[in-house]
Amino acid sequence: MESPQNISTALPDVSAAQVADDSIEYLSRGKLIRRRFWRHRLARLGLPVLVLLYLMAIFADFIAPYPAHLRLKGYKDAPPSVIHFGLDGKPFQPYVYARKREFHPKTFREIYTEQEEVKFPIHFFVRGEPYSILGLFKLDLRLFGVDGDTNITLFGTDSVSRDLFSRTIIAARVSLFVGLGGVAISFVLGCLIGGISGYAGGIVDEAIQRIIDLLIAIPTLPLWMVLSAAIPREWPVEHTFFAITIVLSIVGWTGLARVVRGKLLSLRDLDFVVASKLCGGSDLYIISRHLLPNFASHLIVTLTLAIPGMILGETALSFIGIGMLEPGVSWGVLLQDTMNFGALVHQPWKLIPGVFIIVTVLMFNFVGDGLRDAADPYSL
């Protein structure tokens, strides 16, 4: 029998350079999260749509052809304008016909008929009512408009002859940014109170958790209604906006505080936390610089999924008349016209602001799902 010393292993002579595979890519956690996120098809759809919606809200006065409260004489409950193409030999020149308001001979309802012999071209980058962007720049340039004795109403008009397209675009500023504002306040409160609860422990933790239990036990919508009803009706729009933001964030921080507390309880006794204490780090420094960053991705996912709830909360309060009020404009305020079912049957275009709400909530949920899957270390 041949001894083990004489058995040749017959291994090939492989150098270290040959062992190293250039196809292997070493990525940081941030790059891994971004790569997983972009693999999520719905998240890839949701993020650009949300960016467009927020850009639309920022430049709403430029996109809207009319101010939010301008009444278009003779256009009460007018249907959306029909856009036609091909004017004066230009195949891509858009235009609209003049419209005449008449009464239906059988129903006696007001109807609008197009006068095909009178055409009005749609121009881009036209001069209109002056406005300011972010309160910094004063402009009078608008994206599109028509000249002459007519108006363009892409989404129709409401019962007081105001352009619904302009009001929907301008209302996006309140409806979209109230969610961001409410979540920002909830984030600060949730991280601060949850961090103190989980890091301090003992009596402090017990007291904070009982307060959270009490707030969670209160039905959210009735609490919002009571707090919103306490807002003075004579306040200006800006004050009402910030008050509604605070109302929405009153109980929004409790769930995040519970998450932060649980994470800190599992991390506070680890070696790097003890080392930071021994080096003289304060409690606030340790929480903000060492503990919270360890589950920052989870916090981002939680915040992203919380924004739709804030938007729906503002919509519900404004819809029932205790949120934003005229002259303030939000998607919930615009949907108040849909309370009358009879009018809604004849003017279905008044539901268009609701479509914007649905799209916004869906896009936030898509992005939140994508972030949640990307931040999960066990996701494929």
Side-chain angles (χ1 to χ4, degrees):
M1 183 174 183
E2 188 175 3
S3 63
Q5 290 82 1
N6 296 330
I7 298 176
S8 175
T9 58
L11 291 175
D13 185 12
V14 181
S15 63
Q18 291 174 323
V19 172
D21 189 355
D22 294 337
S23 63
I24 298 177
E25 184 179 4
Y26 298 93
L27 301 176
S28 64
R29 176 170 174 78
K31 291 183 178 179
L32 283 173
I33 290 177
R34 287 194 295 271
R35 176 170 292 186
R36 289 170 180 164
F37 177 81
W38 287 112
R39 288 177 181 172
H40 197 287
R41 295 181 179 179
L42 293 179
R44 290 205 308 267
L45 169 66
L47 185 60
V49 172
L50 288 177
V51 171
L52 289 176
L53 286 172
Y54 276 94
L55 288 176
M56 177 193 72
I58 294 173
F59 299 101
D61 290 307
F62 167 71
I63 299 173
Y66 307 106
H69 303 290
L70 179 66
R71 298 187 178 185
L72 307 178
K73 186 178 180 181
Y75 280 80
K76 176 184 176 182
D77 290 330
S81 299
V82 179
I83 308 299
H84 304 273
F85 291 90
L87 182 65
D88 298 332
K90 301 177 181 178
F92 299 106
Q93 173 63 52
Y95 67 94
V96 294
Y97 291 119
R99 287 186 287 178
K100 182 179 179 181
R101 185 171 61 175
E102 301 174 336
F103 286 95
H104 195 277
K106 294 183 178 180
T107 62
F108 297 101
R109 291 180 48 249
E110 290 183 340
I111 59 174
Y112 291 82
T113 57
E114 292 185 334
Q115 309 298 307
E116 297 186 1
E117 64 277 5
V118 184
K119 303 177 181 179
F120 293 95
I122 300 174
H123 300 290
F124 294 94
F125 305 106
V126 299
R127 299 295 176 180
E129 295 288 334
Y131 59 91
S132 63
I133 295 180
L134 301 177
L136 302 175
F137 309 100
K138 292 188 177 297
L139 301 171
D140 62 355
L141 188 67
R142 295 186 180 269
L143 180 61
F144 64 94
V146 293
D147 297 329
D149 188 20
T150 191
N151 295 286
I152 180 171
T153 57
L154 296 182
F155 291 170
T157 60
D158 60 11
S159 57
V160 289
S161 306
R162 295 173 298 192
D163 178 39
L164 192 57
F165 174 80
S166 300
R167 289 173 62 79
T168 301
I169 300 300
I170 295 173
R173 289 187 297 202
V174 171
S175 296
L176 291 178
F177 285 100
V178 76
L180 291 183
V183 166
I185 297 174
S186 299
F187 176 77
V188 174
L189 291 176
C191 290
L192 180 62
I193 298 176
I196 294 174
S197 177
Y199 188 77
I203 299 177
V204 175
D205 179 34
E206 189 68 20
I208 291 176
Q209 293 309 306
R210 298 295 76 77
I211 294 174
I212 292 177
D213 289 338
L214 177 62
L215 291 175
I216 293 177
I218 301 175
T220 303
L221 186 58
L223 177 63
W224 282 348
M225 294 173 63
V226 171
L227 296 175
S228 297
I231 300 174
R233 301 294 93 179
E234 65 274 9
W235 275 12
V237 175
E238 294 80 7
H239 293 178
T240 304
F241 170 80
F242 286 111
I244 292 296
T245 303
I246 294 174
V247 167
L248 293 174
S249 60
I250 287 294
V251 295
W253 59 271
T254 53
L256 181 62
R258 282 279 175 86
V259 173
V260 173
R261 171 186 177 268
K263 294 290 185 180
L264 262 62
L265 285 175
S266 62
L267 295 174
R268 65 180 183 178
D269 295 327
L270 295 181
D271 293 342
F272 71 93
V273 178
V274 176
S276 182
K277 287 182 181 179
L278 295 176
C279 291
S282 64
D283 293 343
L284 183 60
Y285 176 84
I286 293 173
I287 292 174
S288 61
R289 295 297 299 273
H290 294 298
L291 296 178
L292 291 181
N294 272 276
F295 53 95
S297 59
H298 182 83
L299 294 178
I300 294 173
V301 173
T302 302
L303 294 178
T304 304
L305 294 175
I307 294 176
M310 296 288 183
I311 294 175
L312 292 175
E314 184 278 327
T315 301
L317 293 177
S318 299
F319 179 74
I320 60 180
I322 57 175
M324 295 297 298
L325 297 175
E326 295 284 357
V329 186
S330 72
W331 289 336
V333 172
L334 298 183
L335 287 177
Q336 289 180 352
D337 288 341
T338 63
M339 288 185 178
N340 188 338
F341 181 76
L344 184 60
V345 171
H346 300 297
Q347 295 105 29
W349 55 85
K350 293 182 179 179
L351 281 173
I352 292 178
V355 176
F356 278 79
I357 297 173
I358 295 173
V359 170
T360 302
V361 172
L362 281 177
M363 295 305 108
F364 268 114
N365 286 332
F366 291 163
V367 172
D369 289 341
L371 287 173
R372 181 175 56 198
D373 294 344
D376 183 3
Y378 298 102
S379 64
L380 296 177

